[in-house]
Amino acid sequence: MDDTDPSFLFPNRPLLIAALVILSPMMLPALLRLLGLFLGWNLRRKTHATREAILQLLKLEREEHDQSSTHAHENGDSDWEKLDSDVPTTPADGKTKLPEDRSWDGIIGFFHPFAAAGGGGERVLWAAIRALQLRYPRATCLIYTGDRDMTKPALLNRVHARFNIPLDSSRLALVYLSTRPWLLASTWPKFTLAGQSLGSIIVAWEALGKVVPDMFIDTMGYAFALGLAKWF
């Protein structure tokens, strides 16, 4: 038989094609998962330098903060809530407070492109950051926001004035996004919800392309952004 004849290599081509058609839907999720793992590894590699630069800047800010607040801490005048490091405590309101966990020093990313807005959703965002700062004092919180004209001190001052939520700025950084217009309803006059869902993927890709956190939290309800982050 001629070795150049394709039928010699694939004697049962119809059977092979049928098997590929049947197995393709089963293989597609695994292939997409492998693609996501590769993209995630590539993004983590590319953003490692930015991640380290942010941590270094926050470390310097923290050292300055610690030097200026040492006296206040010694006198017990700190605004920070003191939690027992061994067992949960139960305050007068009956709510259990979790102990501090100083062993974890990872990065928590909050996907909230409209962080400077002053609504109820933003209160949830800042209250969550406050709770995590108390629970994990060594963790770093990143906020992915499109408010590029808002500095961190100005934003935290607004949060404290509006919501009365004090935050440790030396454990918090802003990551500015330029693709936020993709989330606006005015960008999608037709098929608005579908367009905003697509836009959330674009904005989340930019966010993860700048810094990949250890934990990604969406506080605005963009489910597709979470789906994208799950790949990584």
Side-chain angles (χ1 to χ4, degrees), residues 33-48:
R33 179 59 179 167
L34 289 175
L35 175 62
L37 290 174
F38 171 75
L39 291 176
W41 171 83
N42 191 45
L43 282 181
R44 285 192 295 272
R45 181 180 60 83
K46 288 184 176 181
T47 63
H48 180 74

Side-chain angles (χ1 to χ4, degrees), residues 55-131:
L55 293 177
Q56 185 62 30
L57 288 175
L58 290 178
K59 181 181 178 181
L60 295 175
E61 181 180 342
R62 191 159 51 251
E63 290 174 353
E64 295 177 359
H65 172 77
D66 290 343
Q67 291 177 0
S68 63
S69 62
T70 299
H71 181 69
H73 279 281
E74 290 175 352
N75 292 339
D77 296 331
S78 172
D79 288 335
W80 288 96
E81 204 173 330
K82 302 297 189 298
L83 297 176
D84 191 298
S85 59
D86 297 323
V87 295
T89 59
T90 303
D93 60 5
K95 296 181 180 179
T96 301
K97 296 180 180 179
L98 295 176
E100 291 182 355
D101 183 355
R102 294 184 174 273
S103 63
W104 194 73
D105 58 355
I107 294 181
I108 306 171
F110 288 86
F111 186 69
H112 204 106
F114 299 90
E122 286 66 51
R123 180 177 180 84
V124 172
L125 165 68
W126 301 114
I129 293 175
R130 164 71 171 172

